[in-house]
Amino acid sequence: LRKITDIFLSAWALMSRIPLPQPRVFMAAGIPYMFPVIGLIVSCFTALLMGFALTFSEDPFIGVIAVLMIQYWAFNLFHFDGLLDTMDAVLSFKSKEERLDVLGDPHHGSFALFFGVMYLLLKIHLLENTIMQINDDFFSLIFIYPLAGRLSPLVVMATMTPAKKSGLGSQLGTISVLKGTGIVVMGITITGGLTFLLAGYAGLAAVSVAALATAGSGLAVAILYRVKIGGFTGDALGFSIELGELLYLFLLYILVR
């Protein structure tokens, strides 16, 4: 039980700004097992926030802005930094070694600024319009997106190796395809049970969308990093989380139209 607690606290310290007790030992190797758990917590957190926000304002745009501000402060800023660093690195006309240096640079350039702004605008648009179109009985299905995002790094870690011997990517290391698939299936299955209780068979459809978003975003990031960098880094994992969230919202938006 102590080991499981240390693994959870290690994952929490890496993926959240909300303070909890520090683990006795930082268990980097066990963190991937907690990705579905953290994803479910963030999903519940954002759903409760949105429900609370909409009790004070009937305008979903206001609710979406408020929820994303809090979600990003509490959970997503570190992952968003991975998206920004990735844009600066992969869009530059540099060698793989130089792109690794760009990923490690704390400053952001014009590529990061442009794509970061466009990403947030698209995310706001998808959340707002999906909330406006979806049936109230299926409202909770919107907020599976944090789970879909946090399962995506497992696909990256199962399909390639770290780009360097230091940094977050090397600390977490690789996982086997079988193990990565098992953790994803576990997360999707638990979520499927919960969404079925909340929304019936429509919940199962949303879980299928989550599985597609997880696989699609994870494979896209893995291919991009294999071609442009030669392996994954911590930024790749953060980027895959952001891309997984966006892809789930995009696919759900298409589904409910």
Side-chain angles (χ1 to χ4, degrees):
L1 183 59
R2 286 185 177 180
K3 183 177 180 180
I4 294 174
T5 302
D6 280 339
I7 292 173
F8 173 77
L9 292 175
S10 297
W12 188 265
L14 181 66
M15 303 177 76
S16 173
R17 291 168 56 90
I18 298 174
L20 285 182
Q22 292 295 309
R24 294 171 305 135
V25 180
F26 187 73
M27 308 283 287
I31 288 176
Y33 294 100
M34 290 296 166
F35 285 175
V37 178
I38 303 296
L40 282 171
I41 292 172
V42 183
S43 289
C44 293
F45 180 81
T46 52
L48 289 173
L49 278 178
M50 182 57 73
F52 184 72
L54 291 179
T55 61
F56 291 93
S57 173
E58 294 183 356
D59 185 352
F61 177 77
I62 301 299
V64 166
I65 294 296
V67 168
L68 286 181
M69 286 179 63
I70 298 173
Q71 181 197 342
Y72 269 76
W73 177 87
F75 296 104
N76 275 59
L77 282 179
F78 183 56
H79 311 318
F80 187 63
D81 182 69
L83 182 152
L84 299 180
D85 287 341
T86 297
M87 292 299 101
D88 273 340
V90 302
L91 295 174
S92 63
F93 296 99
K94 298 179 182 292
S95 67
K96 291 182 178 180
E97 292 75 17
E98 290 173 322
R99 289 184 184 125
L100 270 175
D101 292 336
V102 173
L103 289 173
D105 189 340
H107 304 96
H108 295 125
S110 55
F111 292 131
L113 176 62
F114 176 78
F115 283 98
V117 170
M118 295 302 294
Y119 172 89
L120 290 175
L121 289 175
L122 181 56
K123 197 170 198 176
I124 291 167
H125 173 78
L126 291 173
L127 266 171
E128 179 190 8
N129 282 273
T130 305
I131 289 171
M132 292 174 64
Q133 295 183 45
I134 202 165
N135 187 297
D136 288 345
D137 294 336
F138 306 140
F139 178 75
S140 60
L141 302 183
I142 299 172
F143 299 98
I144 299 175
Y145 75 87
L147 173 72
R150 282 154 185 80
L151 293 178
S152 299
L154 296 166
V155 179
V156 177
M157 296 168 68
T159 53
M160 61 190 314
T161 57
K164 53 185 181 178
K165 296 181 180 180
S166 60
L168 180 59
S170 64
Q171 283 186 328
L172 296 180
T174 59
I175 57 177
S176 68
V177 174
L178 182 61
K179 185 181 293 185
T181 303
I183 300 172
V184 170
V185 169
M186 178 185 70
I188 293 293
T189 301
I190 294 172
T191 306
L194 292 174
T195 54
F196 181 75
L197 291 174
L198 291 170
Y201 289 105
L204 298 182
V207 169
S208 300
V209 171
L212 286 173
T214 293
S217 57
L219 287 173
V221 172
I223 292 169
L224 178 66
Y225 264 75
R226 186 180 298 278
V227 173
K228 295 290 188 176
I229 307 296
F232 75 85
T233 65
D235 284 319
L237 304 182
F239 178 40
S240 68
I241 289 174
E242 291 291 338
L243 187 59
E245 288 191 354
L246 189 71
L247 185 54
Y248 175 83
L249 291 172
F250 177 71
L251 294 174
L252 186 66
Y253 173 75
I254 292 173
L255 189 65
V256 301
R257 290 195 69 181

